[in-house]
Amino acid sequence: MKRLYLVRHGQTAWNGENRIQGRSDQPLNEVGRTQAQRLSARFAAHHITGIFTSHLVRSCTTAEAIAAGNGHGAAPVVEADLAEMHLGAWEGLTPAEVDERFGEAYQRWRQNPSSVLIPEAEPVSAFRERVRRVFGRLTAQMGQGEYVVVSHGGVIAAVLADVLGADYDHLLRRLRLDNAGVTAV
């Protein structure tokens, strides 16, 4: 049997301030480090066959904590394509700041992400294709066992939309993926 755990990274200062991160490389804050240690304890009893992580420091730190608590020798493998969607000119802003600077664009994004063109950002279609490609490659190389993928909310939502056969825009509006949350597939 193959089981895949999709783990969102621990909290960063920007998560705590409700700032859009995208590809901005923010470290875990104190809450995030505590969450990573709790994830380590949660996975300690599992025989983890492999751990994959985004290259962004918030994911790597979370993955390293999980690996440190799991005595089965699985070290995190960095996969840059597991990174969050690049959100361009919105990164570092709060939703209210985006709406103020870009004419209610965040509100439109919350209703229909695929229809909003964010300046300097990765298009949603390219992001989704990148996520499909990396997950296809990773799952093809996985044998039997339990695997952990530490990544980001947008990545996890894209994977779940494909696994569930759901509309990405619809799912993204309704899905809540908290920091350090675990989804088993």
Side-chain angles (χ1 to χ4, degrees):
M1 183 173 93
K2 184 186 323 183
R3 177 166 285 184
L4 182 62
Y5 297 99
L6 306 174
V7 177
R8 186 173 178 214
H9 61 80
Q11 187 184 80
T12 68
W14 280 14
N15 290 132
E17 297 167 4
N18 196 29
R19 293 194 177 279
I20 297 166
Q21 288 183 113
R23 288 279 182 90
S24 297
D25 207 5
Q26 301 296 309
L28 298 181
N29 64 11
E30 185 176 336
V31 170
R33 289 188 296 277
T34 299
Q35 289 171 329
Q37 290 308 308
R38 288 183 178 154
L39 284 166
S40 177
R42 186 223 189 272
F43 284 107
H46 292 260
H47 186 84
I48 301 301
T49 306
I51 302 172
F52 300 94
T53 182
S54 155
H55 71 289
L56 298 173
V57 69
R58 59 192 184 264
S59 287
C60 286
T61 303
T62 304
E64 289 163 1
I66 292 169
N70 191 279
H72 301 289
V77 174
V78 175
E79 291 283 348
D81 281 342
L82 291 173
E84 184 60 283
M85 182 177 169
H86 181 352
L87 293 169
W90 289 12
E91 292 186 13
L93 303 177
T94 65
E97 291 168 337
V98 168
D99 280 345
E100 181 180 312
R101 293 181 191 181
F102 298 96
E104 304 298 316
Y106 189 81
Q107 295 311 311
R108 290 193 312 274
W109 167 265
R110 291 296 303 156
Q111 293 305 310
N112 189 2
S114 297
S115 71
V116 177
L117 297 176
I118 302 168
E120 304 164 32
E122 179 179 21
V124 172
S125 59
F127 166 70
R128 297 227 28 234
E129 183 53 37
R130 173 171 56 85
V131 171
R132 279 188 191 108
R133 200 173 44 249
V134 71
F135 267 85
R137 185 172 48 77
L138 291 178
T139 56
Q141 73 186 42
M142 293 175 185
Q144 298 299 311
E146 294 183 281
Y147 295 84
V148 174
V149 176
V150 181
S151 194
H152 309 272
V155 172
I156 295 169
V159 170
L160 292 176
D162 286 346
V163 167
L164 298 171
D167 175 78
Y168 176 73
D169 287 349
H170 179 78
L171 184 68
L172 193 60
R173 287 192 316 265
R174 288 168 172 65
L175 190 62
R176 181 179 166 143
L177 296 165
D178 293 326
N179 291 109
V182 178
T183 304
V185 178

